[in-house]
Every structure is written in C-alpha cells, then in structure tokens.
Amino acid sequence: MGIKLENYKERLVDKTIALYLKTFKAIQIVGPKWCGKTWTSMNHGNSIVRLTDIEKRKLAILNPKVILKEDIPEVIDEWQLVPELWDAIRNECDLRTTKGNYILTGSTALLDKEAKSKIKHTGTGRIIKIKMFPMTTLELGKSLDYISLMDMYEEKEINKLVDPFDIYEITSLIINGGWPENLGLKDAETDGLLAREYIKSVVENDINENYNDNEFLFDSQKMLMILKSLARNESSYAAEATILRDCFSFSNDKEQTLNKRTLSRYLDILERLYIINNQEAYSTNYRSSTRVGKKAKIRFVDPSLAAALLGLTSEKLINDLNTFGLLFESLVVRDLNVYMEYYRGHVYAFRDNLSNDEVDAIVEFSDGEYGAIEIKLGDNQIAEAIKSLTKFNEKVEKKPKFLCVIIGIGSGLTKDPKSGVYIVPYNTLGMHFDKLN
C-alpha cells in the first residue's frame, strides 16, 4: 500500500494513520502548512487528487462524486477548497463497507460562513480527525531515544551518563524548527529561512485566502504586529490587554489601533491556520487556593516561528538566556504534543493564581493519569525545578503518576533517589521509535 515515495522519513503519526485507516472509513489530517501532511498522506494512499489543480477543482465543484473514484485510500489534498466534498465523502462512506477509503488533508479550517454553509453534516463516525505537528527532535534524528513518557508512567528505573547537547545544537533546533523541508540542510545561511518565509506567506497571503467576508478584511500590518507580540510573549500567560499594548507600540501614526473584537478575529484566524497552538490550563484540586488559573499559555505550533518574528540567531539566543529558556520550553512542549497525540492524551500548563505556583507541562494520558514536568535550559536549575515539583505534589489532591525535569544541557539521565523526580536531558527523550507496533 502507498504511493511510492523516495526518501520518506517515517513519522510517529504514521502509526496512528495506519491504525485509523484499518478502523474508520475516512480520516482527516489537519495541521500547519509545510509540516508534511500531504507527503505523509501519500505514504498511506494509493491515489491522490490535488485540489490546488484548477481543473480538478472545477471538476469537483461541478460534481464532487466524479473525483471520488480513484484507488483507495484516496488522498484528497486541500479538500477545503471545495467544501461540498465533505458531504459527498460522508455519503460515499455510508454506501461502502470498506475501511480506509479517503484521506483528507488541509492547512486551513473552513473560515467563512459561505464555505461552512456548504457542509450539512458533521461527519461524526465517518471522518476521523488526526492532528499533525512539525517534526520532533526524535523524528529529526537528533534524539538518543533512551526514555519515553510511558517509561516514566510505568515508573521504570534508569541511570545513564550521556553526551549532552551542544548549546548550538539547541539553538539550531529552535531556529530551524521541525519543518521537513529543512532536513539535510547544513548551510548556516539557510538557518531560519523557512520560518521567515512562512511568516511572510501568512501575513501576505494566507490570512485572506479563501476567506470571503465583505464586512471584514485582514490587514497584513496588523497581523504582523500581533504575531510579533505573540512572539514576545511566547510561553507566557499574556492577556489581550498586553497584546493590544504591544501592537500600539509597534504601530505608527497612520495605523489604526486594534480593539479586543478585532484582535479576537485575528487570533481566531491564526488558530484556524494552525499557526498558534495555545497550551490550555490544567484543572485539578489544588489545596492552596480556591481558584486555579484558566488562561492558556501562548504557543506557536513551532518555536522557529517565534524566533523568526524576533529576528533571533544562535548568538542572540545565547546572549539572551531568558528568551532562550522560553523558546526552549516551547521546543520541548512541541515534542510533548506529538508524543501525547500518539498516546491519545493532552498537554496542559498549570498555574495557581494566588500562590503563583506553576508547572510548565502537565501530560494527561487517556486514562486520566498525568505527569508533571518542569522544563529548564541548564542542569544548574535542576534543584529549583525539583523543589517546585515537590511543592506541587504536596499540594495537589490527585497525585501525579510521575514528576520530571527536562533539561536542555545535561549529562545525567536518572531518577533522583530522594525526590523520585526523573531528570531527563532533552536529547534522551523519545518514544522508542523502532519498537513501536
């Protein structure tokens, strides 16, 4: 099975796609553009219809059923360009007994009322959604893959000395991100180039592409101001008021300032384009206060986008350890999102509004058990992180399955004998890729 692809690099999501194609009649793969959705879909499909081809698109608009006759699994690339296809595929699935008929891909959720009105049914039970992210450090071939989240869930003992990441390896991972097109590029002149072009495409093309609303048109300069503010506040709990103040400082006298309603529209389009993937707040019973924070942590889907917006280089990151630490946190959370998607779980953040106690990442598994993770750049921050996790563990009513500190630069993979906290150098975190079924 599969369209023959040369040099295809396997992804964790491949295993989920293969399982779902055996189970369901159609799947939809969503995620940011350039993360590899089409290439991965082709790896599982036996035919493909590209709706970016204007002739195919005209044919699909004229009669959606005409293009649903190729070998299955049939990949429908950028299906949202012809929204009527959704109901046609749903109906076709009802008529078939076979599994794995269609793979729908798209980098944009349906944006405007006219497009949405062309879909009459949700597709529940027929078309199952799978979310894709940019590649993890493991998938990029940069991880030793010594320990997984599941190992910690199962409380496995581990004690290894490892060669730590070089600091420039970490800055490169942040600046270049997990974009498949960067694989194999080693020229320093290409560092961050793809991410910069990504942002350029968003502000110049994507924000208004396929969005038909006579009452509202996105402004590229306003979008750029908002993106810069989001980058400045990456890994934070910035309020709308903070973003509005930032945008005011970026603007000139000729530009109109934003209001909350307008800002909401811009943030909504960024979510629909899968550019931002904010980290939702974790709710649990925490004894020290009556109210746990509900605000999401601001996140780009890949830290390279924030780095591009801030004009960062390796040297600039190294000379600004605060920003370096925040973007490293986002790098790790990107990977955690991919791993927890595989486990059918979720990644949250935790903050107590009264005590200001925080946990960088809460990974919740499908059975409701969870792990609490602190993310630090250097091993000199381990003691502080253990103290924070221990305090959280003492105050929370439902105890975490495990506690963990992920460090950027460290040589000891171990489980602290006193606190029971896992100390995990980032270059050892993986999924035991070669052993997954």
Side-chain angles (χ1 to χ4, degrees), residues 43 65 116 203 228 242 391 424:
N43 188 52
K65 290 186 178 181
K116 291 177 182 177
V203 299
K228 284 182 177 180
T242 301
K391 184 178 180 182
V424 178

Side-chain angles (χ1 to χ4, degrees), residues 64-271:
K65 290 186 178 181
V66 172
I67 67 166
L68 302 180
K69 304 296 182 183
E70 304 294 332
D71 293 339
I72 65 169
E74 179 181 352
V75 179
I76 312 295
D77 191 35
E78 301 297 348
W79 73 272
Q80 77 282 352
L81 296 176
V82 185
E84 295 90 343
L85 274 171
W86 184 270
D87 285 338
I89 289 170
R90 178 186 178 277
N91 292 334
E92 192 69 25
C93 286
D94 286 343
L95 298 174
R96 299 187 184 191
T97 59
T98 53
K99 306 291 186 180
N101 298 287
Y102 302 107
I103 305 173
L104 286 70
T105 73
S107 301
T108 310
L110 292 181
L111 302 177
D112 59 74
K113 294 178 182 178
E114 181 182 348
K116 291 177 182 177
S117 68
K118 296 176 181 178
I119 293 180
K120 307 302 180 185
H121 302 282
T122 63
T124 301
R126 282 88 161 180
I127 307 172
I128 308 301
K129 185 181 294 185
I130 298 174
K131 191 169 185 178
M132 269 189 79
F133 292 85
M135 300 176 80
T136 63
T137 296
L138 171 65
E139 292 165 317
L140 292 170
K142 303 292 185 179
S143 169
L144 297 170
D145 199 10
Y146 285 161
I147 190 168
S148 69
L149 295 173
M150 189 56 68
D151 288 336
M152 291 182 266
Y153 176 95
E154 295 173 350
E155 302 180 59
K156 291 183 178 179
E157 296 291 333
I158 191 162
N159 191 14
K160 282 180 178 284
L161 283 176
V162 298
D163 292 328
F165 258 144
D166 178 84
I167 194 169
Y168 285 99
E169 290 182 281
I170 299 178
T171 59
S172 177
L173 288 168
I174 290 172
I175 291 169
N176 290 308
W179 309 106
E181 288 298 322
N182 276 333
L183 285 170
L185 296 181
K186 296 181 180 179
D187 191 338
E189 291 184 355
T190 66
D191 279 356
L193 180 59
L194 188 145
R196 293 194 296 273
E197 288 301 314
Y198 196 116
I199 296 299
K200 182 179 178 181
S201 175
V202 167
V203 299
E204 293 182 0
N205 303 311
D206 297 350
I207 55 173
N208 283 306
E209 194 175 71
N210 305 317
Y211 189 91
N212 302 312
D213 188 339
N214 295 328
E215 297 179 1
F216 191 85
L217 187 67
F218 290 102
D219 179 84
S220 61
Q221 288 305 309
K222 285 187 173 65
M223 178 57 82
L224 186 58
M225 290 190 298
I226 291 169
L227 286 167
K228 284 182 177 180
S229 176
L230 294 174
R232 282 180 54 174
N233 292 287
E234 178 77 6
S235 301
S236 77
Y237 294 94
E240 287 183 347
T242 301
I243 298 172
L244 290 170
R245 282 197 304 271
D246 280 353
C247 291
F248 181 78
S249 68
F250 292 139
S251 65
N252 58 47
D253 293 339
K254 294 182 180 180
E255 293 171 337
Q256 293 181 353
T257 57
L258 293 161
N259 56 41
K260 284 189 176 182
R261 182 183 178 191
T262 305
L263 175 61
S264 179
R265 283 177 178 258
Y266 279 82
L267 294 177
D268 180 62
I269 191 70
L270 290 175
E271 289 186 9

Side-chain angles (χ1 to χ4, degrees), residues 224-365:
L224 186 58
M225 290 190 298
I226 291 169
L227 286 167
K228 284 182 177 180
S229 176
L230 294 174
R232 282 180 54 174
N233 292 287
E234 178 77 6
S235 301
S236 77
Y237 294 94
E240 287 183 347
T242 301
I243 298 172
L244 290 170
R245 282 197 304 271
D246 280 353
C247 291
F248 181 78
S249 68
F250 292 139
S251 65
N252 58 47
D253 293 339
K254 294 182 180 180
E255 293 171 337
Q256 293 181 353
T257 57
L258 293 161
N259 56 41
K260 284 189 176 182
R261 182 183 178 191
T262 305
L263 175 61
S264 179
R265 283 177 178 258
Y266 279 82
L267 294 177
D268 180 62
I269 191 70
L270 290 175
E271 289 186 9
R272 290 175 181 272
L273 291 169
Y274 304 104
I275 292 168
I276 56 176
N277 185 60
N278 289 340
Q279 195 177 351
E280 298 171 6
Y282 183 71
S283 296
T284 187
N285 294 321
Y286 200 62
R287 297 192 191 105
S288 69
S289 68
T290 57
R291 186 68 272 151
V292 172
K294 298 299 181 185
K295 192 181 297 180
K297 241 184 186 182
I298 291 175
R299 298 278 187 211
F300 280 93
V301 73
D302 191 277
S304 63
L305 300 179
L309 285 156
L310 296 173
L312 296 175
T313 63
S314 289
E315 296 300 332
K316 287 181 179 179
L317 273 173
I318 291 169
N319 290 315
D320 183 353
L321 291 180
N322 182 56
T323 299
F324 194 175
L326 293 173
L327 292 190
F328 174 66
E329 180 184 322
S330 284
L331 177 70
V332 175
V333 170
R334 179 203 66 196
D335 289 4
L336 295 178
N337 277 320
V338 178
Y339 300 151
M340 293 310 295
E341 193 76 13
Y342 180 85
Y343 291 133
R344 295 168 184 76
H346 202 79
V347 182
Y348 298 94
F350 173 84
R351 182 177 66 165
D352 182 327
N353 282 338
L354 296 186
S355 67
N356 289 323
D357 293 342
E358 292 188 19
V359 177
D360 293 330
I362 300 289
V363 290
E364 185 179 53
F365 295 82

